[in-house]
Amino acid sequence: MNWIKQQVAYVAGTQEPIYGPTAIQSVAKQTEVTPYTELEIEHLKWVAMESTCVETQTFYLFADSGHLGMVQVIYSNVAGIHTTCQFNTKVFYPDGKTPILWSSDAVDSHGFDEQKLSFYGDGCAITLNEDGTAYTVKSATNEASIVNLNITRTAPGFHVGKDGKSYFGTDPEHPWGSMRHGFWPRCKVEGSIMTKDGEVDFKGRGFLSHALQGMKPHHAAAKWNFANFQSPTYSAVIMEFTTPPAYGSTVVDVGGIVRDGEILCAGSDNSAQHTEVNEDPENEWPAPSAVKFLWSGKTKDGKAVKAELSGNLGQRLDRIDVMANVPGFIKAIVGGVAGTKPYIYQYSPQQRLALRINIDGNEQIEEGVLFSEATFIS
């Protein structure tokens, strides 16, 4: 019976049977031998699976002017039958009054270079340079947001463990799904996004997340936490997901802290906590109002690293009803049968939070900018 349910779930996206926590092989297991792997150029390749998947490259932008932004390309495949690509642009304005700029456009005639290091389509291109240290992002897919950016990493990138992947399936030798995140946590950004109200200069810092969900997203994760902190000296990231009950509501956490030129620590011994919540009256999700992020690891030469970032999130930047623009019949299937009602809550506290970091007994405290997301799916 479980096999039948699993097959129906895989094709239709319905709720999966209960396999239990043994049916996920968390990347945390890999960290017992290999805490993290520095990204080389081969790790930056698009996988572009021919079966069900969602693969994204998301560039987060922290402008010196106070603007926050995001540019993203999404590659989505449904059961190997239908592949779509989307280019998204988002700009948050520092005055807290100007409406958020949001553009989301289908990308036709998409493709990759021969090495699958660069993505292109009608009106847009994300191009990696020859030595694998910088991306150029250009898009004219929407007249409201013409993107022209250069993102250069200033610290090594990493994924956690040996291959960065958590695997899903009752037979570890033949998994039916996977999840991977690779990061460039600290980058220099140059360039701009041209809007109908003028050019927004995004000179400042940036962050890249390259993610691959090698299965239906709502089967892999029931909720997500994401923290992306940038200060004059440090960049810190946590990406945490909790599986649905089908996989034992298992928590998988990847993250790390870097500074210019070096990774201080990276691994799976981190946590994201909502220390205060307010129930959203529209959907009953416990949206966070205060958080605590914790990191723990070791430097390359074995020094202990501990860090904490905590405080109130303040007024949220945005709340996104993910299903709002999905066709009605799909919304009925995914929302009704699978019990999903995905919402993303985005924050960047106006009152700056401080990273408290301790390296081998030496503590430093440094204020910076936090961009944080809490996502609830099922």
Side-chain angles (χ1 to χ4, degrees):
M1 181 61 75
N2 259 12
W3 182 83
I4 295 170
K5 282 184 183 176
Q6 200 263 334
Q7 295 307 306
V8 172
Y10 190 75
V11 174
T14 54
Q15 204 163 9
E16 292 192 283
I18 301 296
Y19 306 114
T22 58
I24 176 171
Q25 290 77 53
S26 168
V27 72
K29 189 73 177 170
Q30 297 180 29
T31 67
E32 294 170 10
V33 178
T34 307
Y36 67 89
T37 300
E38 285 194 20
L39 298 187
E40 304 291 345
I41 199 162
E42 63 265 22
H43 297 123
L44 304 175
K45 291 183 177 182
W46 285 83
V47 179
M49 291 172 60
E50 295 182 2
S51 55
T52 297
C53 71
V54 177
E55 186 170 8
T56 58
Q57 278 191 343
T58 309
F59 299 86
Y60 296 89
L61 313 169
F62 296 75
D64 293 342
S65 62
H67 292 78
L68 297 175
M70 179 198 82
V71 292
Q72 176 186 61
V73 67
I74 303 174
Y75 173 99
S76 178
N77 187 316
V78 179
I81 299 166
H82 186 56
T83 300
T84 59
C85 292
Q86 199 85 2
F87 191 91
N88 298 328
T89 304
K90 196 167 192 175
V91 177
F92 299 100
Y93 292 84
D95 61 11
K97 299 172 186 174
T98 306
I100 296 165
L101 185 152
W102 168 249
S103 305
S104 183
D105 300 277
V107 177
D108 296 323
S109 305
H110 73 273
F112 304 92
D113 68 345
E114 192 174 341
Q115 294 178 284
K116 282 193 170 178
L117 292 168
S118 299
F119 171 93
Y120 59 84
D122 286 354
C124 74
I126 299 179
T127 309
L128 183 68
N129 68 355
E130 279 192 23
D131 61 0
T133 58
Y135 282 95
T136 301
V137 182
K138 297 192 176 195
S139 173
T141 56
N142 194 304
E143 290 182 359
S145 52
I146 307 293
V147 178
N148 186 6
L149 296 166
N150 292 302
I151 294 107
T152 304
R153 66 170 176 83
T154 59
F158 70 87
H159 63 218
V160 165
K162 186 176 181 181
D163 68 3
K165 291 183 181 178
S166 294
Y167 292 95
F168 295 75
T170 49
D171 179 359
E173 297 300 314
H174 301 93
W176 60 57
S178 64
M179 180 82 76
R180 175 193 179 263
H181 286 84
F183 303 118
W184 278 8
R186 192 168 179 85
C187 302
K188 179 180 73 172
V189 178
E190 296 173 310
S192 66
I193 297 175
M194 180 63 74
T195 76
K196 289 183 176 179
D197 294 321
E199 186 176 39
V200 179
D201 185 355
F202 269 100
K203 179 180 179 296
R205 290 195 179 85
F207 170 98
L208 164 65
S209 171
H210 187 160
L212 173 62
Q213 301 183 50
M215 59 197 296
K216 285 185 169 59
H218 60 285
H219 285 174
K223 59 184 179 180
W224 289 89
N225 284 303
F226 171 52
N228 172 7
F229 175 82
Q230 303 287 333
S231 75
T233 309
Y234 303 104
S235 296
V237 57
I238 283 181
M239 185 73 79
E240 178 185 279
F241 70 92
T242 303
T243 71
Y247 299 97
S249 299
T250 300
V251 177
V252 179
D253 190 300
V254 297
I257 302 173
V258 307
R259 60 189 173 197
D260 283 341
E262 67 173 326
I263 297 171
L264 291 172
C265 69
S268 61
D269 192 9
N270 318 293
S271 71
Q273 304 167 24
H274 297 176
T275 53
E276 294 178 26
V277 299
N278 291 314
E279 185 177 286
D280 187 330
E282 287 193 34
N283 53 39
E284 299 180 346
W285 287 128
S289 55
V291 290
K292 179 190 286 186
F293 299 109
L294 299 172
W295 291 262
S296 181
K298 290 186 177 179
T299 63
K300 278 185 177 179
D301 55 358
K303 294 175 182 173
V305 179
K306 299 273 187 188
E308 177 181 327
L309 179 69
S310 60
N312 293 320
L313 290 170
Q315 185 177 353
R316 72 172 180 242
L317 292 173
D318 200 7
R319 184 190 67 165
I320 302 146
D321 178 355
V322 177
M323 301 291 279
N325 299 310
V326 171
F329 73 94
I330 296 178
K331 192 168 186 175
I333 291 171
V334 176
V337 180
T340 62
K341 46 176 183 177
Y343 279 78
I344 303 171
Y345 297 82
Q346 296 179 320
Y347 305 88
S348 184
Q350 286 188 311
Q351 186 168 354
R352 290 193 168 192
L353 302 185
L355 181 73
R356 184 184 296 267
I357 183 167
N358 188 305
I359 303 173
D360 198 29
N362 297 313
E363 185 171 273
Q364 285 194 313
I365 300 171
E366 188 165 283
E367 286 188 349
V369 180
L370 170 68
F371 179 84
S372 178
E373 291 182 339
T375 302
F376 300 94
I377 299 171
S378 62

